[in-house]
Amino acid sequence: MTGVVKTVVPDLAGTGVRYAPAVAAGRWVFVTGQEAFDPVTGAADGSTPGIGESRLRREGEIVLAEMRRLLGGLGTDWSRGVRVDQFYSSPDAVNPYHRARRRVCGDHIPASTSVVVDRCFAATSSVSAGLIAVRPDAGQDAGHDAGQDAGQDAGHDAEAVLPPGAEAGGWQGVAPAVACGDFVFVSGQMASAGGESLDPRAAVPAGMRWGASAIRRQVEHLIVHKLTPVLDAAGSSWDAAVKAQVYLGDADDLPEFLEVWSEHLGGVPCALTVVPAAGFRIAGGRVEINLVALRDGAARRKSVVDAGLPRGAAFGPCVRAGDFLFPSGLLGVAADGAVAGAGTSQALDGLAHAGHVQAAAIYDHADALCAAAGTSMANAVRAQYFVTDVRDFPGVAAAWAARYGDEPHPFWCLQVPGPLPAPGAALIGDFWIYAP
């Protein structure tokens, strides 16, 4: 189990797109972007509810059942999940999905992130979900603490992490983090109190017109009072952080977010992906952050991979840790510092021109990082695209096929609010790449 195995849909909805909905890399399994439509026909897949049943809950059950089927096909199951990410086209879809998740999957809820976006990949979908799990003999590839038997069942190595005095996330049953071997997967965290409202310490006092910033207060609260205690409880630290995904409710908050992040973590090499979001679970919340980290003292070490990317192509470094390469979120910024296709793509939207040329530039960056790390994009286990218009995805798919031929594409595409960080940017590419 040292290579990459992809489940393949050879002709997604009759389009010729070679889609990889699930990938096994060593003893890790990734399920990407599952939605309730038939991958062969493209039709909405059995989401019509019975009389008195919730359509949204039925949709969630279909998505979860397909995730479980894909996991089983690659030798694992939901009980060995370590991280689950969910994106919703409306807040109304969240509660029905979470109830379906509890019914279908029982008490084991991996580290979880739930964010509202503008739309999922299919116009008929209200939820798009993906999972990371380990296979039963995950001891060596998932990492083990010193003294553990490398053959030990890794299902028992995945454990919920609760900081002192903390509780799992209310009725959802989500722990703040799940530790598995050398890795820690931290759930999406907000500047909340009890998971139900904005923490007063993170709020701007009523009537205060300057001297305080909502995004600054929330990010600082998250770093100091939410994420640091979780890392401590997991036997980890900020020095061991390898990848952060940050969702911002207002694109204008990006400069101040980056300023606060740099003030606290400027000396920490951690891959960073920043994405606009349409909504969160907490009213007044402006930011949600999830993390992947190593445990302190882990046998695996992290290192920075530098390939001389153009300025503005990413907001953080590319980090190698264990058997994975974690680039920061990549933008299609060319060598001249401008977004590829600037001045041309808008007039050629019928070609999905922006998606094609920006994805090609992103693949240039990803290929350079892979070459520097001694791997390749054939080992991509998750290719997550955040686009401002889902109709640009055909250009992305065409760029993938032009670059990588018949290599199955483990894509996950979500439409998010614009603007993206670079002027004219149509997409962000966020990759996990196997690099044994």
Side-chain angles (χ1 to χ4, degrees):
M1 295 185 181
T2 58
V4 172
V5 177
K6 297 182 180 181
T7 302
V8 180
V9 177
D11 188 24
L12 181 63
T15 63
V17 172
R18 286 177 59 78
Y19 171 49
V23 182
R27 294 178 173 88
W28 296 93
V29 175
F30 293 76
V31 176
T32 61
Q34 296 306 297
E35 300 183 14
F37 69 88
D38 188 317
V40 176
T41 68
D45 189 11
S47 58
T48 302
I51 295 173
E53 293 182 337
S54 162
R55 178 185 65 81
L56 294 175
R57 176 162 174 171
R58 175 65 181 145
E59 183 180 348
E61 290 172 349
I62 291 167
V63 168
L64 290 157
E66 179 63 6
M67 291 170 71
R68 293 179 68 184
R69 186 188 73 82
L70 290 165
L71 289 169
L74 291 173
T76 188
D77 56 47
W78 181 275
S79 72
R80 301 177 190 281
V82 296
R83 168 171 163 160
V84 61
D85 297 85
Q86 297 100 169
F87 299 89
Y88 309 90
S89 60
S90 165
D92 294 340
V94 181
N95 287 354
Y97 168 83
H98 280 167
R99 287 195 292 270
R101 188 175 69 180
R102 173 67 74 185
R103 189 189 76 80
V104 173
C105 303
D107 291 335
H108 178 73
I109 308 297
S112 177
T113 299
S114 290
V115 175
V116 178
V117 294
D118 277 352
R119 63 164 280 179
C120 300
F121 184 60
T124 54
S125 296
S126 67
V127 60
S128 183
L131 184 77
I132 303 172
V134 290
R135 293 199 264 193
D137 52 354
Q140 292 177 345
D141 282 354
H144 264 65
D145 293 337
Q148 285 185 306
D149 178 6
Q152 179 179 337
D153 188 332
H156 300 296
D157 198 31
E159 56 183 338
V161 174
L162 292 175
E167 297 179 355
W171 65 273
Q172 301 173 43
V174 177
V178 169
C180 183
D182 283 349
F183 284 94
V184 177
F185 301 89
V186 179
S187 293
Q189 300 286 324
M190 299 190 69
S192 59
E196 298 177 353
S197 61
L198 192 66
D199 193 302
R201 294 173 295 177
V204 175
M208 192 169 189
R209 299 181 65 186
W210 61 75
S213 156
I215 185 64
R216 175 173 287 273
R217 286 197 171 208
Q218 290 187 30
V219 175
E220 289 181 337
H221 182 88
L222 264 172
I223 292 172
V224 175
H225 297 292
K226 300 298 287 288
L227 294 168
T228 298
V230 172
L231 291 171
D232 288 346
S236 184
S237 65
W238 280 107
D239 285 338
V242 298
K243 186 173 180 68
Q245 276 189 325
V246 178
Y247 297 97
L248 293 179
D250 187 337
D252 289 341
D253 283 341
L254 176 64
E256 195 153 12
F257 164 78
L258 291 172
E259 183 178 310
V260 178
W261 185 264
S262 180
E263 288 172 1
H264 286 265
L265 303 168
V268 175
C270 178
L272 177 65
T273 299
V274 185
V275 180
F280 307 108
R281 75 178 185 273
I282 301 297
R286 303 176 74 95
V287 59
E288 182 165 343
I289 302 175
N290 64 45
L291 289 175
V292 182
L294 293 171
R295 282 175 165 171
D296 289 337
R300 294 142 192 283
R301 294 288 182 265
K302 69 175 186 177
S303 59
V304 172
V305 176
D306 186 4
L309 302 189
R311 180 178 175 82
F315 289 118
C318 177
V319 174
R320 182 172 187 163
D323 287 338
F324 290 104
L325 190 66
F326 298 104
S328 291
L330 297 174
L331 292 157
V333 174
D336 62 1
V339 168
T344 304
S345 292
Q346 187 172 2
L348 298 176
D349 56 346
L351 287 173
H353 189 270
H356 193 296
V357 299
Q358 291 183 36
I362 286 171
Y363 298 148
D364 286 341
H365 306 332
D367 284 343
L369 292 168
C370 286
T375 186
S376 76
M377 283 292 281
N379 283 350
V381 295
R382 174 178 284 183
Q384 201 166 22
Y385 302 104
F386 299 98
V387 300
T388 55
D389 188 337
V390 75
R391 291 171 296 183
D392 276 324
F393 182 75
V396 177
W400 177 277
R403 181 69 59 94
Y404 305 117
D406 288 337
E407 185 64 42
H409 195 175
F411 77 83
W412 191 350
C413 184
L414 300 151
Q415 182 172 309
V416 298
L420 297 182
L427 71 147
I428 298 169
D430 195 33
F431 304 103
W432 287 50
I433 303 161
Y434 190 54

